Amino acid sequence: SCSLVLYEPIRDAVVAGTGGLGGDGTPNFAQRLLSGGSAGAISIAIFNWTEVLKTRMQTSRTKISMSEVFRQVLEKHGVRGFWAGLKPNVARTFLVNAAELGTYDQTKSALVPVVGDNAMAHLGASSFSGVCSALVSTPADVIKTRLMNAAGQSTGVQYRGVFDAFTTILRDEGGTALYKGFVPICTRKIIWCSSFFVLYEQLRAAASTASAAGSR
């Protein structure tokens, strides 16, 4: 993904701008969290319009085409409508990527000296990052979906912004509403992170081996 491509360059910049590497010669946890979150935030700021279209199509009560959703949003809100829910989406994606990339990187660094740089370390780190991702991102995900679903709609609840959506949900539905669907989200996150990071590490190792062989 775009955020994964951006992660290491941003991490290097963050390390350089925040006092360098830690005492063990590696980035510290805060640097990794900030780098992962920043990579995700930049990526979603660019691609937010695709999230608006996807959310409206998925939550529509009737079958609707992408072109029809595009027309509705453009007519009602203009180009800015495609960046509806940008703030909660950036917040959500920052949290998700901080948890997924930053936590994975930190946990893997802790596990590798114990169990070695192998699938066990990658699986353990990725599973933990999936749980952390679900814990911190679910409330922002609920708010983002509500705001995006309202884009182009003339009926239903209309929120004035992130804070209004947060307080309205909390007042009318209670705190548990911010964690609606947590169990399936957490399960999906664990499966996704485990599959993604384990495969990523395998491909990375293969590419490194191929590069080393080619340079001989």
Side-chain angles (χ1 to χ4, degrees), residues 105-128:
D105 200 12
Q106 180 72 18
T107 307
K108 188 183 78 168
S109 295
L111 288 175
V112 165
V114 179
V115 301
D117 191 2
N118 51 38
M120 184 179 294
H122 304 156
L123 185 61
S126 59
S127 298
F128 184 64

Side-chain angles (χ1 to χ4, degrees), residues 10-212:
I10 290 177
R11 186 187 63 189
D12 294 341
V14 167
V15 167
T18 55
L21 298 171
D24 59 354
T26 64
N28 60 44
F29 191 28
Q31 290 170 333
R32 286 169 167 149
L33 288 176
L34 179 59
S35 302
S38 299
I42 292 170
S43 299
I44 202 60
I46 297 170
F47 294 105
N48 190 79
W49 62 276
T50 63
E51 288 285 314
V52 171
L53 296 178
K54 180 192 74 173
T55 301
R56 282 292 313 282
M57 291 178 70
Q58 288 179 338
T59 58
S60 176
R61 294 181 179 179
T62 59
K63 186 175 181 180
I64 188 170
S65 67
M66 183 182 296
S67 60
E68 180 63 17
V69 173
F70 187 92
R71 184 187 63 78
Q72 288 179 0
V73 174
L74 192 62
E75 287 181 354
K76 186 169 179 62
H77 298 288
V79 175
R80 292 182 62 183
F82 294 106
W83 272 265
L86 178 62
K87 289 181 181 179
N89 209 13
V90 166
R92 172 196 177 275
T93 309
F94 184 96
L95 294 171
V96 168
N97 282 268
E100 289 183 2
L101 296 176
T103 302
Y104 173 78
D105 200 12
Q106 180 72 18
T107 307
K108 188 183 78 168
S109 295
L111 288 175
V112 165
V114 179
V115 301
D117 191 2
N118 51 38
M120 184 179 294
H122 304 156
L123 185 61
S126 59
S127 298
F128 184 64
S129 73
V131 174
C132 292
S133 175
L135 282 171
V136 300
S137 68
T138 302
D141 209 11
V142 170
I143 294 172
K144 178 207 73 170
T145 301
R146 298 289 184 92
L147 287 169
M148 287 187 169
N149 191 38
Q153 299 279 18
S154 57
T155 59
V157 179
Q158 294 291 320
Y159 302 108
R160 294 189 299 273
V162 177
F163 184 73
D164 180 53
F166 174 78
T167 55
T168 300
I169 294 170
L170 203 59
R171 182 186 66 243
D172 296 345
E173 304 174 52
T176 55
L178 294 171
Y179 277 91
K180 281 185 176 179
F182 175 75
V183 172
I185 288 173
C186 187
T187 302
R188 177 174 62 85
K189 288 284 187 183
I190 292 173
I191 294 173
W192 157 251
C193 289
S194 299
S195 302
F196 178 80
F197 283 115
V198 170
L199 178 60
Y200 167 74
E201 293 289 357
Q202 294 298 316
L203 293 174
R204 187 175 185 178
S208 179
T209 301
S211 178

